[in-house]
């Protein structure tokens, strides 16, 4: 008979129950999944920054977090070994560069296209991945420093695809010292506006986008080649919640009882 630290006794398990392979492993001794501190920190931050708004957009872009002073990547010199969230108050001397190499772009394009083909099979047992190819031209018009007024048109037809004012509410930088890329989570608001409000004004900046858009359940993956006014091309990857209203519904459950309670 085993004894506990308070002087009591604990019945030892029967010898037939000592085989560690006799039953499936449980997530913990409480049979509950331990809370993921990283995920909770991101969720808490999104809830705080979104401020109960309904018009939020949440996206993650991939690239590198750089030191503003030196232009070098921050991750190798911060003294952390694994993927880490940077306190926004400590990120004032950092900037994020949303850029992938041509090799990374090619690898991701091939991998995502292969997944579209694989999931299209009638025998595939999981969620399908949809695909759309878009080519647009973006014109940006003057707005305040925290907002961007953008008109997007189909490059071939000139038809307006989107006309919005996008305002940044906050950024959360994540550095990944063991990987080639870091990432940044951004929370924005998007307000649809009438394109006629740009009549008589000239854009201060334009760019062309060749975008591969992949949809998988609640998420949209955008793999984009961007060409600026100087004809310089960059490669970008972003992941976005496809249904903001569902994000808002989940955020509203914070602190309530139920399977989606965040704690």
């Amino acid at each position: 008979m085993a004894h506990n630290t308070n002087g009591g006794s604990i019945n030892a398990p029967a010898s037939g129950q000592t085989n560690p392979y006799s039953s499936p492993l449980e997530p913990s001794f409480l049979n509950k999944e331990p809370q993921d501190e990283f995920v909770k920190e991101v969720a808490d931050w999104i809830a705080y920054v979104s401020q109960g708004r309904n018009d939020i957009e949440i996206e993650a872009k991939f690239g590198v977090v750089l030191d503003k002073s030196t232009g070098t990547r921050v991750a190798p010199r911060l003294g952390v070994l694994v993927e880490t969230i940077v306190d926004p108050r400590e990120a004032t001397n950092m900037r994020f560069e949303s850029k992938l190499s041509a090799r990374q772009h090619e690898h991701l394009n091939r991998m995502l296209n292969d997944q579209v083909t694989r999931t299209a099979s009638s025998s595939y047992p999981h969620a399908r991945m949809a695909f759309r190819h878009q080519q647009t031209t973006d014109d940006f018009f003057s707005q305040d420093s925290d907002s961007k007024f953008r008109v997007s048109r189909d490059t071939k037809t000139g038809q307006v695809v989107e006309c919005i004012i996008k305002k940044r509410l906050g950024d959360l930088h994540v550095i990944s010292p063991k990987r080639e890329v870091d990432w940044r989570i951004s929370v924005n608001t998007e307000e649809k506006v009438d394109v006629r409000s740009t009549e008589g004004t000239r854009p201060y900046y334009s760019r062309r986008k060749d975008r591969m858009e992949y949809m998988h359940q609640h998420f949209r993956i955008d793999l984009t080649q961007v060409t600026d006014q100087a004809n310089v091309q960059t490669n970008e990857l972003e992941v976005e919640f496809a249904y903001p209203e569902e994000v808002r519904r989940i955020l509203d459950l914070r602190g309530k009882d139920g399977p989606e309670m965040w704690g």
Side-chain angles (χ1 to χ4, degrees):
M1 182 171 292
H3 294 274
N4 65 27
T5 55
N6 294 320
S9 61
I10 303 172
N11 292 325
S15 59
Q17 297 175 328
T18 58
N19 181 356
Y21 305 106
S22 61
S23 61
L25 280 176
E26 296 177 350
S28 71
F29 70 91
L30 296 173
N31 199 24
K32 294 181 179 180
E33 193 75 34
Q35 189 175 70
D36 188 316
E37 190 176 42
F38 188 105
V39 172
K40 185 176 186 301
E41 187 65 31
V42 171
D44 288 346
W45 177 82
I46 289 174
Y48 172 75
V49 172
S50 62
Q51 302 169 1
R53 302 183 62 131
N54 293 319
D55 55 348
I56 59 170
E57 174 207 52
I58 303 170
E59 62 183 9
K61 289 194 173 186
F62 295 80
V64 286
V65 178
L66 302 173
D67 186 300
K68 287 182 180 179
S69 303
T70 64
T72 57
R73 191 179 176 196
V74 169
R77 63 173 182 79
L78 277 193
V80 295
L81 296 177
V82 296
E83 196 166 63
T84 303
I85 301 169
V86 178
D87 186 332
R89 295 168 295 186
E90 303 297 326
T92 54
N93 195 42
M94 300 177 189
R95 67 179 179 87
F96 181 78
E97 191 172 274
S98 178
K99 185 169 67 174
L100 299 178
S101 68
R103 175 184 58 83
Q104 290 168 330
H105 178 93
E106 182 180 354
H107 168 75
L108 289 166
N109 191 19
R110 183 169 57 249
M111 180 181 68
L112 289 163
N113 286 341
D114 287 347
Q115 187 65 6
V116 170
T117 302
R118 186 178 299 111
T119 64
S121 170
S122 58
S123 61
Y124 187 75
H126 305 297
R128 302 293 195 265
M129 179 176 279
F131 165 80
R132 181 172 66 163
H133 185 196
Q134 280 189 313
Q135 291 179 313
T136 58
T137 299
D138 294 342
D139 291 325
F140 292 86
F141 297 85
S142 295
Q143 198 67 23
D144 62 71
S145 58
D146 292 329
S147 304
K148 291 183 178 179
F149 186 172
R150 187 187 77 220
V151 180
S152 299
R153 290 181 170 86
D154 186 291
T155 301
K156 293 180 179 179
T157 66
Q159 183 178 356
V160 174
V161 175
E162 192 174 50
C163 183
I164 62 170
I165 295 177
K166 185 172 182 176
K167 184 174 183 178
R168 182 69 52 86
L169 297 182
D171 292 322
L172 196 65
H173 296 81
V174 180
I175 58 172
S176 305
K178 283 187 166 63
R179 303 187 182 276
E180 294 183 10
V181 296
D182 307 307
W183 45 295
R184 181 190 69 190
I185 305 170
S186 298
V187 177
N188 313 294
T189 61
E190 289 189 343
E191 176 189 356
K192 294 183 179 180
V193 294
D194 193 325
V195 69
R196 290 175 294 183
S197 61
T198 64
E199 292 178 357
T201 60
R202 293 176 60 86
Y204 68 87
Y205 176 73
S206 297
R207 68 184 182 190
R208 300 192 308 277
K209 292 191 302 190
D210 189 346
R211 169 168 288 177
M212 308 294 184
E213 182 181 290
Y214 303 87
M215 284 287 300
H216 183 260
Q217 295 189 304
H218 285 223
F219 298 93
R220 193 180 79 210
I221 305 169
D222 292 336
L223 188 61
T224 311
Q225 290 183 321
V226 181
T227 305
D228 65 15
Q229 295 177 133
N231 215 35
V232 175
Q233 188 178 88
T234 55
N235 302 296
E236 298 183 357
L237 172 68
E238 64 183 86
V239 179
E240 182 177 334
F241 282 100
Y243 306 108
E245 66 279 4
E246 178 64 9
V247 176
R248 180 72 266 155
R249 185 185 73 82
I250 298 297
L251 288 174
D252 289 341
L253 292 173
R254 292 175 61 85
K256 299 179 181 179
D257 293 332
E260 293 167 314
M261 184 182 70
W262 287 8

